[in-house]
């Protein structure tokens, strides 16, 4: 299966379980991997025969800007719902990864990452 990847989208959000996270906010990084057939786009060289990754970026940015979740899992589930609504006929599967850096817990670490996968062609 062919893939389109968008790596390290950066967003400032006010998501989190703790009140401080929702008041102060934090930066999230998000990776998107879309699985679909790119054969038609490869032959036609026409953006209408693929999933426009600029439109995917806008869809995700809109979701992040207008929603607030306790869990990163909730944010990713909402993005999957948005992708399914917009691209259900083209998209076979998707993988989303989100990294959170300012996690209020003890210990030394770079970030917390959540990865979720969904199939859309079942």
């Amino acid at each position: 299966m062919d893939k389109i990847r968008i790596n390290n989208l950066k967003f400032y959000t006010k998501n989190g379980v703790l009140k401080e996270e929702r008041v102060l906010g934090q930066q999230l990084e998000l990776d998107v991997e879309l699985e679909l057939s790119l054969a038609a786009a490869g032959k036609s060289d026409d953006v209408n025969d693929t999933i426009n990754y600029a439109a995917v970026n806008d869809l995700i940015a809109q979701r992040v800007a207008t929603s607030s979740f306790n869990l990163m899992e909730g944010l990713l589930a909402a993005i999957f719902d948005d992708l399914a609504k917009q691209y259900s006929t083209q998209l076979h599967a998707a993988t989303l990864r989100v990294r959170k850096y300012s996690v209020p817990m003890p210990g030394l670490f770079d970030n917390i990452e959540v990865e979720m996968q969904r199939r859309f062609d079942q």
Side-chain angles (χ1 to χ4, degrees), residues 3 10 17 24-25 32 48 77 96 98 104 111 114 117:
K3 296 179 182 180
K10 292 178 176 35
V17 173
L24 299 174
V32 181
N48 294 308
L96 301 174
V98 63
N111 60 62
V114 173
Q117 300 173 335

Side-chain angles (χ1 to χ4, degrees), residues 60-80:
I60 293 170
Q62 180 68 20
R63 170 57 70 184
V64 171
T66 60
S67 301
S68 182
F69 297 92
N70 288 327
L71 303 176
M72 293 185 290
E73 293 87 332
L75 172 61
L76 294 182
I79 293 170
F80 280 126

Side-chain angles (χ1 to χ4, degrees), residues 1 7 17-18 27 31 34 48-49 51 54-56 61 65 68-70 80-81 88 90 93-95 106 108 112 120:
M1 187 55 51
N7 299 313
V17 173
L18 300 177
Q27 180 175 298
D31 300 332
L34 307 174
N48 294 308
D49 290 331
I51 293 178
V56 171
S68 182
F69 297 92
N70 288 327
F80 280 126
D81 289 345
S88 63
Q90 296 168 283
T95 301
L108 299 174
I112 301 298
F120 298 98

Side-chain angles (χ1 to χ4, degrees), residues 10-35:
K10 292 178 176 35
F11 301 101
Y12 187 79
T13 69
K14 295 194 175 185
N15 294 291
V17 173
L18 300 177
K19 180 182 174 185
E20 294 82 11
E21 293 177 290
R22 290 177 174 267
V23 172
L24 299 174
Q26 69 258 305
Q27 180 175 298
L28 297 180
E29 289 181 354
L30 202 137
D31 300 332
V32 181
E33 182 177 288
L34 307 174
E35 294 183 33

